[in-house]
Amino acid sequence: MKVHNGEEGRGAESVRDESSDSSQSYELSRPAGRLETYFTLFHDLNLQSNIIVSASYTSTEKRPLDASVLYPALRLVIKQHPALSIVTSSRPSTLRANHSRAWEARIKVINLKDCVSFINHFDTSKDGLASLLERQHNEWYRTEDKTKPLWRLLVVNHEHIIFVYHHLICDGIGGLAFHKALLAALNTVTMSPQSSEISPDASLVTTSTAPLAPVSSSAFISLGYSYSTLRVATTYIYLFLLRLFLPRSFFFFPSIRPPPNPSTPGPPIITKLHSFTLNPQTLSRTLTACKSHTTSLTSLLTTLILTTLSNDIYPRARFGIISIPTDLRRYIPRRLITESEIQNCASVCFTRTWLNAYKAAGQDLSGFETTTTGGPLNKSHIWALAAAHRSALERMIAPRGPGSRHTPAPIQESLSMGLLPEDKEPLVAQCLPTLWTVSGGGVTVSNLGLFGDAAVAVDDMHWKISDVEFSVGATAPEVGSALYFAMVSSVDGGLRVNISFAEGAVEEEIVERIAIGILGRLEGLLKGDE
């Protein structure tokens, strides 16, 4: 495997022993796990750029969010969360010559001026911020530079903080944890008089020397969880045979092809975003309707996505793949991992399904009411599908009972990465073609849930968060999802959904039609529940 250097890429040569670098700005920490190696390679092979979680901050004292306030708070957060010091590194393989092993290293000192930018007089409407998120997704990290962290903050109009980070730092829940930690720090630091004078060393932060959180797979192994090799093999063979014998038109996004040579970096993926919002009133009505129909918001939106794709966009499609990122923190004792820790601790649940039922939900005229799509809507059928999806998802994530040897599906997905080689070159050769078979051209639906100030226990709330957004850089669709629905809700801001996709892989008009179809069907469903 070869990774670009310099202006054309962001990784170091794969077989270079970085422990011999003259620079002392970082120190090696530990060999990367399979998942961490996966995130490193996805970035260095130009397959996915970053993740963004943004939030709007307001001060009860009408203080602007400037460096005099932000730097002391960030100093606290950085010292509390060692993951913010992580950078990528590489060592020669201990298994084979000319191969390399990914390592996690840690920066010793972070200069906040390197990773905090202030933007003033910016259009902070939903459309204005969406355009800024899109641009940030297309600014890649130079991972060979070990003097700067793999995250950055953009402070917009002294109010909005955009946290942009490499997936090696943390997952989406970890992004929320960052904002919770920053909010707590802003409310904890001594509120000194406002000043534009910043001491020369105020921006320099010595990072935490506390141990990194354990790799989630090692935590699960220590807890006695396991995965079924037979399950992995039969799932792969089933999907391989479907890909082999079914026409491409039987899948969503039929123009997408498997990668010809996945180990060679191509041009960086360019992320495009399309967004929509459910205002607080609509979100409240939707959640009430979901409760009355024994389903969840995630399952309802998944059902609406499958119904819209299989009827409005790809009427010939017969088989769909949906992945739902799942937080693994619920399974791990607090003595090993805390919920407030910034880290990667997520896996995925898959919905791989034949589409006949979803086609019927859109084509059957019984229960029809006009929607903004102009298409038919079978309300009872859609609610039944959403309820069934929630039941199936709950079975997959159900925790182990007393005395049981059951391993929940998302843990099995995480542990099964142990089947992959630890060195980067063979991992790329084996993993990326497999990804096309199991998830290529699919759709991801990631819901971080509700963010609220109540999550941060502070006696004196000088600062509050009023709105939150979540967005994920597009993945090369031949090795991942063609569409990524990233969403998070807040008490004041409702539900914001950011749909990311790779430029040239999916037409913007198609994504807009999908959003219209989802919102139109949702409107029709809610009319019947008023």
Side-chain angles (χ1 to χ4, degrees), residues 33-34 214-227 328 331-333 335-337 400 405 407 411-412 414-419:
R34 295 335 189 257
V215 175
S216 58
S217 58
S218 64
F220 289 123
I221 292 172
S222 70
L223 294 170
Y225 288 102
S226 61
Y227 65 92
L328 296 178
Y331 303 108
I332 303 178
R335 60 184 171 81
L336 296 177
I337 291 178
R400 171 185 288 178
R405 297 182 61 84
T407 297
I411 297 180
Q412 291 210 43
S414 176
L415 292 178
S416 66
M417 293 195 74
L419 293 170

Side-chain angles (χ1 to χ4, degrees), residues 224-237:
Y225 288 102
S226 61
Y227 65 92
S228 167
T229 305
L230 178 62
R231 173 182 174 270
V232 174
T234 54
T235 299
Y236 178 79
I237 291 170

Side-chain angles (χ1 to χ4, degrees), residues 143-161:
T143 55
E144 73 273 19
D145 184 353
K146 303 296 189 294
T147 65
K148 297 181 178 66
L150 296 178
W151 57 269
R152 59 183 180 267
L153 291 188
L154 278 76
V155 184
V156 183
N157 296 352
H158 299 293
E159 179 182 0
H160 309 278
I161 293 184

Side-chain angles (χ1 to χ4, degrees), residues 213-502:
V215 175
S216 58
S217 58
S218 64
F220 289 123
I221 292 172
S222 70
L223 294 170
Y225 288 102
S226 61
Y227 65 92
S228 167
T229 305
L230 178 62
R231 173 182 174 270
V232 174
T234 54
T235 299
Y236 178 79
I237 291 170
Y238 172 68
L239 294 170
F240 177 81
L241 293 175
L242 289 182
R243 298 275 192 189
L244 182 64
F245 292 111
L246 292 182
R248 293 187 186 275
S249 61
F250 276 31
F251 298 89
F252 298 144
F253 314 104
S255 63
I256 296 172
R257 300 289 190 270
N261 186 5
S263 63
T264 301
I269 293 298
I270 298 175
T271 294
K272 304 294 290 183
L273 284 183
H274 183 91
S275 306
F276 63 85
T277 302
L278 301 185
N279 62 41
Q281 295 74 27
T282 302
L283 176 60
S284 178
R285 291 166 57 207
T286 302
L287 293 174
T288 300
C290 286
K291 184 176 181 179
S292 67
H293 290 278
T294 63
T295 189
S296 66
L297 180 62
T298 299
S299 291
L300 174 60
L301 289 175
T302 299
T303 301
L304 294 176
I305 291 167
L306 287 169
T307 302
T308 299
L309 284 170
S310 59
N311 286 281
D312 301 355
I313 313 298
Y314 301 109
R316 293 191 61 194
R318 296 292 181 271
F319 191 81
I321 298 175
I322 299 275
S323 60
I324 300 178
T326 307
D327 185 17
L328 296 178
R329 293 164 179 81
R330 71 189 78 191
Y331 303 108
I332 303 178
R334 297 287 79 87
R335 60 184 171 81
L336 296 177
I337 291 178
T338 64
E339 292 183 348
S340 61
E341 207 157 359
I342 297 172
Q343 61 185 4
N344 276 302
C345 195
S347 185
V348 67
C349 287
F350 282 102
T351 295
R352 300 180 176 109
T353 180
W354 296 98
L355 299 172
N356 294 343
Y358 297 94
K359 288 180 177 294
Q363 292 176 345
D364 189 340
L365 294 178
S366 62
F368 167 75
E369 286 190 15
T370 303
T371 71
T372 55
T373 66
L377 177 70
N378 186 332
K379 295 177 184 177
S380 60
H381 199 158
I382 287 181
W383 282 121
L385 285 171
H389 183 272
R390 181 196 181 189
S391 295
L393 192 58
E394 286 183 337
R395 287 194 298 273
M396 285 190 278
I397 67 175
R400 171 185 288 178
S404 170
R405 297 182 61 84
H406 165 71
T407 297
I411 297 180
Q412 291 210 43
E413 294 288 349
S414 176
L415 292 178
S416 66
M417 293 195 74
L419 293 170
L420 297 172
E422 66 179 35
D423 290 344
K424 294 196 290 187
E425 294 80 6
L427 189 148
V428 168
Q430 293 182 30
C431 180
L432 296 191
T434 301
L435 288 175
W436 160 254
T437 301
V438 300
S439 61
V443 176
T444 295
V445 180
S446 182
N447 183 3
L448 299 186
L450 175 67
F451 181 95
D453 289 338
V456 185
V458 179
D459 294 332
D460 188 6
M461 294 288 287
H462 294 279
W463 293 87
K464 293 185 178 182
I465 288 178
S466 58
D467 201 1
V468 183
E469 285 198 41
F470 170 45
S471 183
V472 177
T475 304
E478 61 270 18
V479 293
S481 294
L483 296 179
Y484 200 113
F485 289 75
M487 63 194 82
V488 63
S489 54
S490 55
V491 175
D492 298 322
L495 176 74
R496 182 69 169 174
V497 180
N498 287 308
I499 311 172
S500 56
F501 55 101

